[in-house]
Amino acid sequence: HVLPFEFGYDHNSQYPYFYNSRSNMNDYKMNINGKGSVMTEPDIAIVSLGVITENKELKAAQEENAAKSTEVINSLINSGIEEKDIKTEAYTINPEYDYVEGKQIFRGYKVTHTFKVTIKDIKKVGEIIDAAVSSGANVVNNITFTISNPSIYYKKALNLAIDDAIKKAKSIESNLEITVNRIPISITEEGQSYTPMAEKALYSAPTSATPIKEGQIEIIANIKAVFIY
């Protein structure tokens, strides 16, 4: 195994010194990680809401749920939501029981119909949810804020990650007093992080528009760059 540097000794000095044992400087490579981050405001909200009904008779529970679900859908459409942005998320039927003195007593059926609703005007999220609750929605699971075109922001974060790697290479060049080719010979994407903001929702009958805070979204890009020195 040949090391890139070998020890020599200067008889006029008490310290050993290094000298280069290779003739081709292109053999020297360094791997540097770069990270870029971009903050942006979300422009889409995805809400999970629906209707839960209970009745001893399954058919009655289903019919009541269907009627209320239709009213909720009409409310969403009247609030400006397009039909294609209202999708069934889950439809379940479950028997419910009470336990009295260790005995299981059938209480009835619970029918749950939830929808995934995409809201493109996030300033109206609270208003739209309140209207849905008023029309019969009795479950709102959560709200997720996201962006419609994350690739635009990821590309910006990627460029910042490359700049970060180049700055680190410059710093190493200065500290070690070497010459680094500022153009990396290879760049590998190490991964990206994109986390939509989520807000747990607990709603009662609305009095005024429910306040919703959308916050910001951070898009992160990570790369590995290889430089020659």
Side-chain angles (χ1 to χ4, degrees), residues 115-129:
F115 301 92
K116 184 173 75 171
V117 183
T118 301
I119 301 174
K120 296 176 180 176
D121 185 354
I122 61 174
K123 299 302 180 184
K124 295 177 63 178
V125 171
E127 176 186 331
I128 291 171
I129 290 176

Side-chain angles (χ1 to χ4, degrees), residues 6 9 87 102 132 151 174 176:
E6 295 180 0
Y9 193 83
K87 298 179 181 179
S151 64
S174 175
L176 297 183

Side-chain angles (χ1 to χ4, degrees), residues 46-170:
I46 299 175
V47 182
S48 174
L49 57 81
V51 176
I52 296 176
T53 55
E54 294 188 37
N55 198 291
K56 283 190 175 182
E57 299 295 330
L58 176 57
K59 184 177 180 181
Q62 288 178 300
E63 290 177 347
E64 181 185 359
N65 193 289
K68 288 186 176 181
S69 293
T70 299
E71 291 180 11
V72 170
I73 291 172
N74 290 336
S75 169
L76 293 170
I77 293 174
N78 290 334
S79 296
I81 305 298
E82 298 181 39
E83 286 191 52
K84 66 181 180 65
D85 291 328
I86 306 171
K87 298 179 181 179
T88 292
E89 187 175 50
Y91 184 86
T92 60
I93 299 173
N94 294 301
E96 298 291 302
Y97 298 92
D98 290 324
Y99 292 88
V100 181
E101 297 179 353
K103 295 182 179 180
Q104 188 181 56
I105 300 175
F106 177 71
R107 184 172 74 240
Y109 292 96
K110 180 171 76 172
V111 178
T112 304
H113 192 177
T114 57
F115 301 92
K116 184 173 75 171
V117 183
T118 301
I119 301 174
K120 296 176 180 176
D121 185 354
I122 61 174
K123 299 302 180 184
K124 295 177 63 178
V125 171
E127 176 186 331
I128 291 171
I129 290 176
D130 289 346
V133 171
S134 294
S135 67
N138 55 7
V139 57
V140 181
N141 292 324
N142 56 60
I143 306 168
T144 301
F145 294 99
T146 182
I147 48 180
S148 55
N149 195 349
S151 64
I152 293 176
Y153 301 97
Y154 176 68
K155 289 176 182 177
K156 292 180 180 179
L158 192 60
N159 287 332
L160 291 174
I162 295 172
D163 290 341
D164 181 48
I166 293 174
K167 288 178 181 177
K168 289 178 179 178
K170 290 180 181 178

Side-chain angles (χ1 to χ4, degrees), residues 35-43 145-147 149-158 160-161 193-197 214-221:
K35 178 180 179 180
S37 173
V38 174
M39 300 293 293
T40 185
E41 300 286 342
D43 59 2
F145 294 99
T146 182
I147 48 180
N149 195 349
S151 64
I152 293 176
Y153 301 97
Y154 176 68
K155 289 176 182 177
K156 292 180 180 179
L158 192 60
L160 291 174
S193 173
Y194 165 59
T195 307
M197 305 295 291
E214 62 270 16
Q216 285 190 316
I217 295 175
E218 183 179 22
I219 297 93
I220 298 174

Side-chain angles (χ1 to χ4, degrees), residues 169-220:
K170 290 180 181 178
S171 178
I172 293 173
E173 177 183 56
S174 175
N175 288 337
L176 297 183
E177 297 183 353
I178 58 177
T179 301
V180 177
N181 188 333
R182 305 295 176 80
I183 300 176
I185 61 172
S186 70
I187 297 174
T188 305
E189 293 182 64
E190 294 285 282
Q192 59 179 298
S193 173
Y194 165 59
T195 307
M197 305 295 291
E199 178 174 322
K200 196 70 177 177
L202 297 174
Y203 294 97
S204 57
T207 53
S208 58
T210 301
I212 303 294
K213 297 179 180 180
E214 62 270 16
Q216 285 190 316
I217 295 175
E218 183 179 22
I219 297 93
I220 298 174

